[in-house]
Amino acid sequence: MTNLVNCSALELAEMVRARQISAEEILDETLTRIVEVDGRPGALDTAPAVDDEKKVHAFITHTEELARSQAQEVDAKIAKGEDAGLLAGVPFTVKDIFCVRGTPSTAASRILANFTAPYTATPVERLIAAGGVMLGKVNLDEFTYGSSSESSAFQPSPRNPWDLSKVPGGSSGGSAAAVAAGEGALSLGTDTAGSIRQPAAFCGVVGMKPTYGRVSRYGLIAFGSSLDCPGPIARNVRDAALMLQVIAGADRADATAATQAVPDYLREIERGVKGMRIGLSPDYFRITFPDPQSGEYVEQALPAHMQEAVWKAAELYRSMGAEIIENVPMPNTRFGIPVYFVISRVEAASNLHRFDGVKYGYRTKQAVADLNEMYRRSRGEGFGPQPKLRILMGMYVSAAQYSEQYYQRALKVRTLIRHDFENAFDPQGPYRLDALLTPTTPTTAFGMADVYGDSVMMQYADQLTVPANHAGVPGISIPAGFSSDGLPIGIQLLGPDFSEAQLLRVARAYEMATEKEEWREKKPSLLEGK
Amino acid sequence: MKNTENSIPRDVFDHLVDLAAFALGEDEKNYLHDQMNHQLNAIQELEAIPLPDDLPTTTHGVEYGDDGKPALRNDEWVACTNTQEILTQAPELQDGYIVVPDIPTKELE
């Protein structure tokens, strides 16, 4: 019998529509997998247990009953000969930063731990309407603030299925870990600085950050409103295309959702890259960061294995008929993180002032003298250190006396970052790229607790992904082999505004060209024999 | 006004904590203050970038063309159908009103 948890979303939906398998059978097998590999879900105030190190812990909330009724609805439609949707019976998870009516929607924060959403986010609504079966809400960094998922108030935080001593990345760490471990074929994540692409790279799966506005943000608990992008995480490129097909498009509930028509992302996905211009930039083969000891800026070349994965992909693309354009200047890449430290903090501070213990969410249990004390205690007890840090920093850099020095300046440097991409993709320009090929991350997955606590070094994990968020352009991370210590390596493709179809095509070409390679057979160690 | 010290003075930090409405312990304050100064050090790199005077700011990643600009919604009243469900989220409720502790008042001079 086919091992359903290892099937792609496309295969599952096709089998359901062809009545070869029911949505409930897929659900049952997926729930069994979750029991086998996931361990206890994240929860508040839990003491660590030895067994925690042996499981993935992707989930915060299981929604088994909801999933059962959705699966039954799909099966009923099939029985009646009705169209059950593009995702008929496909199990998926949702990063717990999206509101889903009737489910706890926590943002992995104590301050929202008791919040049950009274409405459903548009992308989730579309996944369900397309026949998807929602397995539950998965863990993340608190309010998405991090790159390892360790800052969640709901512990244990997720672990990397390829090596449980490593982080899954973040902030969509629960999403990427779940997909890699076969706990659902798809997951809905968000990407504000790389939060889809970085965990996808760390966990050996595909993650796409669409163009800003391509997917509605309605129902997404906001972090950086000019940067946040919901997007798909999947085990292969075609599934990511299928998921994007379902969630993309205009939404009257989100004035920033683009109204441009959504193309058929699967139609030309296997047309190859012949004649395309794919660029490489030296600015994506090094990182610049403040030395933790001296504070001085140091420039460091990326590890050889990270660079080699990109060069190998470039050679493959060349062999398939693409033109490889080297030395594309992206000189403002190095400023992506400093700019992000300013802009994202200002937007975070603005978005997080609403959590005050009055209308919903956490309110202090301590006796208080007045409303002000209630605010201070509720926010002091409800927020973890990362949200507090972002709120304080955002207030500081946008304060009237410092705004010109920090915030206004960062917004101008953001323009320079955008110019880098416009120059690279300009059809009349010197480079005329269809896509820029880069490593997704400076390193493979790092160890649990190795970086957590150092908010500066943690942020620099996003140095190669954050420029796309500043510029608004789409990007995709795809698996490109393994390091010598067995950890997945991701490569990234970046493209012009609304070029998702083209990026998916370039990504799929790599996938097809490498499908017979030995590394494609590897499975996370905890799935050996499953 | 410019911060040329590359660090946030403690009194400014304490003022921010007050404005942000956080009740914090000393250890947490020390951690947050320390991390803010580290972040400020990273941000200082922006100071060295030469910026043309006429360089515009970017507050939004993608400029929408005419074909991609969402239309404004009509200003129409739409009934909320689940007010009770929303109200049950309130930490303290009485007769359909959300209850809060005393609101401090100040005599204006």
Side-chain angles (χ1 to χ4, degrees):
Chain A
M1 185 184 154
T2 316
N3 194 344
L4 296 175
V5 287
N6 296 332
C7 288
S8 71
L10 271 164
E11 288 167 339
L12 291 173
E14 216 170 276
M15 285 192 282
V16 169
R17 282 193 294 264
R19 302 182 184 213
Q20 291 167 352
I21 196 92
S22 72
E24 270 204 281
E25 284 172 287
I26 297 170
L27 174 63
D28 287 337
E29 206 170 303
T30 311
L31 292 174
T32 303
R33 167 61 61 88
I34 291 170
V35 169
E36 283 171 352
V37 304
D38 206 64
R40 60 178 177 156
L44 295 178
D45 305 319
T46 49
V50 178
D51 277 358
D52 288 347
E53 295 173 11
K54 298 173 186 161
K55 300 287 182 183
V56 178
H57 307 291
F59 283 80
I60 287 179
T61 303
H62 296 283
T63 54
E64 189 175 333
E65 265 181 50
L66 183 66
R68 182 73 58 195
S69 69
Q70 289 166 349
Q72 286 169 347
E73 202 175 317
V74 168
D75 288 336
K77 278 186 179 173
I78 298 285
K80 284 190 271 183
E82 294 174 7
D83 178 8
L86 279 176
L87 297 177
V90 174
F92 71 94
T93 56
V94 174
K95 183 178 183 178
D96 201 9
I97 197 74
F98 289 95
C99 290
V100 179
R101 188 170 184 176
T103 72
S105 297
T106 71
S109 179
R110 182 183 298 276
I111 210 158
L112 283 175
N114 62 357
F115 173 62
T116 298
Y119 70 105
T120 298
T122 298
V124 180
E125 207 162 69
R126 289 177 179 173
L127 289 167
I128 296 168
V133 173
M134 192 183 108
L135 299 165
K137 311 286 286 293
V138 284
N139 215 335
L140 62 148
D141 282 295
E142 185 176 359
F143 278 101
T144 78
Y145 301 165
S147 307
S148 69
S149 302
E150 293 165 290
S151 68
S152 173
F154 289 72
Q155 295 290 327
S157 65
R159 289 171 177 267
N160 192 316
W162 293 92
D163 178 344
L164 294 167
S165 71
K166 308 288 186 194
V167 301
S171 62
S172 309
S175 290
V179 171
E183 304 174 80
L186 305 171
S187 190
L188 179 66
T190 62
D191 192 313
T192 309
S195 284
I196 285 175
R197 290 161 289 159
Q198 185 253 24
F202 279 10
C203 291
V205 295
V206 174
M208 183 167 220
K209 170 216 160 324
T211 310
Y212 179 81
R214 181 68 296 180
V215 178
S216 168
R217 292 182 295 116
Y218 180 68
L220 160 64
I221 299 169
F223 159 20
S225 301
S226 78
L227 302 155
D228 293 338
C229 293
I233 296 181
R235 279 195 294 275
N236 65 55
V237 175
R238 294 201 312 154
D239 278 4
L242 175 71
M243 185 169 172
L244 183 62
Q245 193 75 52
V246 169
I247 61 176
D251 179 12
R252 80 178 286 283
D254 177 5
T256 63
T259 54
Q260 273 163 325
V262 178
D264 183 338
Y265 292 120
L266 283 163
R267 196 178 57 206
E268 297 191 339
I269 200 167
E270 296 190 345
R271 272 191 57 198
V273 293
K274 194 170 180 188
M276 281 193 180
R277 291 170 66 86
I278 297 174
L280 296 169
S281 172
D283 298 305
Y284 276 84
F285 285 87
R286 56 183 173 231
I287 55 164
T288 314
F289 60 97
D291 180 80
Q293 266 73 50
S294 67
E296 294 296 313
Y297 267 84
V298 290
E299 189 179 284
Q300 209 171 76
L302 257 51
H305 58 274
M306 304 302 288
Q307 297 195 34
E308 281 159 14
V310 177
W311 284 108
K312 184 195 151 195
E315 281 312 312
L316 273 173
Y317 283 130
R318 200 194 305 271
S319 72
M320 288 186 274
E323 196 175 341
I324 303 300
I325 317 295
E326 293 184 36
N327 295 317
V328 178
M330 304 291 286
N332 296 294
T333 303
R334 61 175 288 189
F335 303 127
I337 294 296
V339 167
Y340 186 74
F341 268 131
V342 177
I343 293 174
S344 71
R345 271 55 176 176
V346 173
E347 295 185 5
S350 170
N351 280 320
L352 266 60
H353 282 310
R354 74 187 68 169
F355 302 111
D356 56 10
V358 173
K359 299 177 290 299
Y360 58 92
Y362 178 83
R363 184 185 286 189
T364 184
K365 304 289 181 287
Q366 297 188 52
V368 292
D370 59 24
L371 186 66
N372 284 343
E373 192 183 352
M374 193 275 282
Y375 287 151
R376 283 196 298 273
R377 290 201 179 278
S378 298
R379 287 165 63 84
E381 295 162 18
F383 284 126
Q386 296 311 315
K388 285 173 186 156
L389 189 51
R390 296 202 181 201
I391 291 168
L392 291 169
M393 200 65 197
M395 291 172 70
Y396 179 75
V397 295
S398 60
Q401 62 270 46
Y402 301 126
S403 175
E404 195 60 39
Q405 182 182 1
Y406 298 122
Y407 186 52
Q408 293 301 318
R409 192 168 186 83
L411 292 177
K412 288 183 176 179
V413 180
R414 185 176 183 180
T415 304
L416 296 180
I417 294 171
R418 171 81 189 171
H419 285 173
D420 282 355
F421 286 100
E422 286 172 350
N423 186 43
F425 299 136
D426 181 356
Q428 272 76 52
Y431 302 102
R432 306 184 302 284
L433 299 185
D434 293 296
L436 182 71
L437 170 65
T438 80
T440 309
T441 53
T443 64
T444 54
F446 44 85
M448 300 284 291
D450 280 1
V451 186
Y452 184 59
D454 184 336
S455 64
V456 174
M457 288 314 289
M458 185 67 84
Q459 194 70 79
Y460 276 84
D462 298 331
Q463 186 161 139
L464 307 179
T465 47
V466 74
N469 297 82
H470 291 310
V473 299
I476 187 168
S477 177
I478 55 174
F482 292 85
S483 61
S484 56
D485 51 355
L487 292 169
I489 295 173
I491 55 172
Q492 176 177 235
L493 292 154
L494 302 169
D497 299 342
F498 300 104
S499 66
E500 286 84 356
Q502 190 166 275
L503 284 184
L504 288 160
R505 186 171 144 190
V506 180
R508 176 66 183 144
Y510 177 85
E511 206 174 59
M512 289 166 75
T514 57
E515 68 187 355
K516 298 274 189 292
E517 292 189 8
E518 205 179 323
W519 62 269
R520 289 275 182 200
E521 298 300 316
K522 280 189 75 167
K523 283 163 79 174
S525 51
L526 88 165
L527 300 184
E528 288 301 336
K530 291 191 167 76
Chain B
M1 185 174 166
K2 264 192 152 188
N3 178 357
T4 52
E5 296 299 316
N6 213 10
S7 67
I8 299 166
R10 186 64 182 222
D11 61 327
V12 173
F13 171 80
D14 287 339
H15 181 57
L16 288 171
V17 170
D18 193 44
L19 287 176
F22 290 148
L24 301 177
E26 272 314 298
D27 285 352
E28 196 173 15
K29 274 188 181 178
N30 291 340
Y31 169 76
L32 294 171
H33 189 204
D34 188 48
Q35 288 294 313
M36 282 177 75
N37 282 332
H38 285 316
Q39 293 191 8
L40 196 65
N41 181 53
I43 292 167
Q44 296 294 348
E45 202 195 4
L46 300 177
E47 296 265 342
I49 306 170
L51 298 177
D53 288 341
D54 59 349
L55 186 70
T57 59
T58 294
T59 52
H60 192 276
V62 177
E63 293 301 325
Y64 293 123
D66 288 340
D67 56 340
K69 195 174 178 184
L72 289 175
R73 284 195 300 265
N74 292 330
D75 188 13
E76 289 170 352
W77 178 80
V78 179
C80 178
T81 54
N82 59 339
T83 47
Q84 279 311 311
E85 189 184 352
I86 292 167
L87 282 173
T88 57
Q89 298 288 322
E92 199 179 342
L93 200 65
Q94 193 182 337
D95 302 330
Y97 289 90
I98 293 167
V99 179
V100 294
D102 284 347
I103 300 171
T105 53
K106 205 185 266 184
E107 289 291 328
L108 292 176
E109 290 173 8

